[in-house]
């Protein structure tokens, strides 16, 4: 049996041993889900801190007003990144994106390599995993709480 490689967990998935055969597939999925959730929570915490830090450095101020603005900046960036991933998975903007691509290539005098149907099928077959944009949404809404609190404090 060939070994599988999971890009997020960065370890090879070994063939099932006799000890692990007793675990049901549901238990195994829960373990993988918990591990992915922990990794994505750590990654989103680091990204959130970097975005807030960038907002503070960009303003060159470190008072409560600047901290509030940095939290709102980080919230808005994370929220819209998650929203873009969600919309991409649902093929909502696929006609618009593919149409712009075809129109731009027509102006240059070239043809597209794939049809609209192939483009949408490619997205449906290889979607962005749900836990990625769910964790980004959760992280964004966690940032929203202190952003609203600091905004209320400044009123």
């Amino acid at each position: 049996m060939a070994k599988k490689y999971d890009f997020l967990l960065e370890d090879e998935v070994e063939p099932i041993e006799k000890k692990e055969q007793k675990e049901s597939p549901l238990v195994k999925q829960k373990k993988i889900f918990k591990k992915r959730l922990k990794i994505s929570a750590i990654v989103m915490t680091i990204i959130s801190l970097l975005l807030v830090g960038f907002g503070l450095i960009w303003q060159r101020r470190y008072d409560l007003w600047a901290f509030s603005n940095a939290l709102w900046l980080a919230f808005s960036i994370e929220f819209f990144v998650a929203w873009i991933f969600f919309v991409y998975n649902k093929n909502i903007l696929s006609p618009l994106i593919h149409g712009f691509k075809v129109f731009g290539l027509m102006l240059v005098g070239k043809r597209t390599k794939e049809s609209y149907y192939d483009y949408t099928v490619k997205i449906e077959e290889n979607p962005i995993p749900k836990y990625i944009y769910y964790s980004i949404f959760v992280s964004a809404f966690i940032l929203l709480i202190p952003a609203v609190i600091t905004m209320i404090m400044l009123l």
Side-chain angles (χ1 to χ4, degrees):
M1 186 173 197
K3 294 182 179 180
K4 293 183 180 179
Y5 184 76
D6 191 352
F7 75 96
L8 182 63
L9 301 178
E10 294 186 7
D11 57 353
E12 293 180 358
V13 179
E14 297 290 330
I16 299 174
E17 298 174 4
K18 292 180 182 178
K19 178 183 168 187
E20 294 179 5
Q21 285 181 349
K22 295 178 184 177
E23 293 180 356
S24 68
L26 185 61
V27 173
K28 216 171 183 184
Q29 283 180 339
K30 284 184 181 182
K31 284 183 180 179
I32 291 173
F33 178 74
K34 285 180 182 179
K35 191 169 185 179
R36 286 180 177 170
L37 193 63
K38 288 177 187 176
I39 291 171
S40 61
I42 291 169
V43 169
M44 287 311 301
T45 302
I46 293 169
I47 290 173
S48 299
L49 290 174
L50 288 174
L51 286 172
V52 170
F54 170 74
L56 289 172
I57 292 170
W58 181 37
Q59 296 177 78
R60 293 189 194 131
R61 291 178 21 205
Y62 303 100
D63 56 347
L64 188 60
W65 187 260
F67 190 70
S68 176
N69 288 340
L71 285 170
W72 280 104
L73 174 74
F75 163 74
S76 61
I77 289 173
E78 285 185 14
F79 178 79
F80 286 112
V81 166
W83 185 256
I84 288 169
F85 287 166
F86 176 75
V87 167
Y88 174 81
N89 268 5
K90 299 296 180 186
N91 274 332
I92 294 173
L93 297 178
S94 292
L96 182 68
I97 294 169
H98 188 72
F100 274 126
K101 186 189 219 181
V102 169
F103 181 72
L105 287 174
M106 276 182 16
L107 290 176
V108 179
K110 296 182 179 178
R111 302 196 88 187
T112 58
K113 294 179 182 175
E114 59 185 2
S115 66
Y116 173 70
Y117 177 76
D118 294 335
Y119 180 75
T120 57
V121 167
K122 181 180 76 172
I123 292 173
E124 287 175 0
E125 289 177 352
N126 301 315
I128 297 171
K130 289 183 180 182
Y131 72 90
I132 291 176
Y133 58 86
Y134 284 158
S135 64
I136 299 173
F137 271 130
V138 168
S139 175
F141 286 114
I142 288 172
L143 282 174
L144 181 64
I145 295 167
V148 169
I149 291 171
T150 55
M151 184 182 70
I152 291 172
M153 288 172 55
L154 292 169
L155 289 179

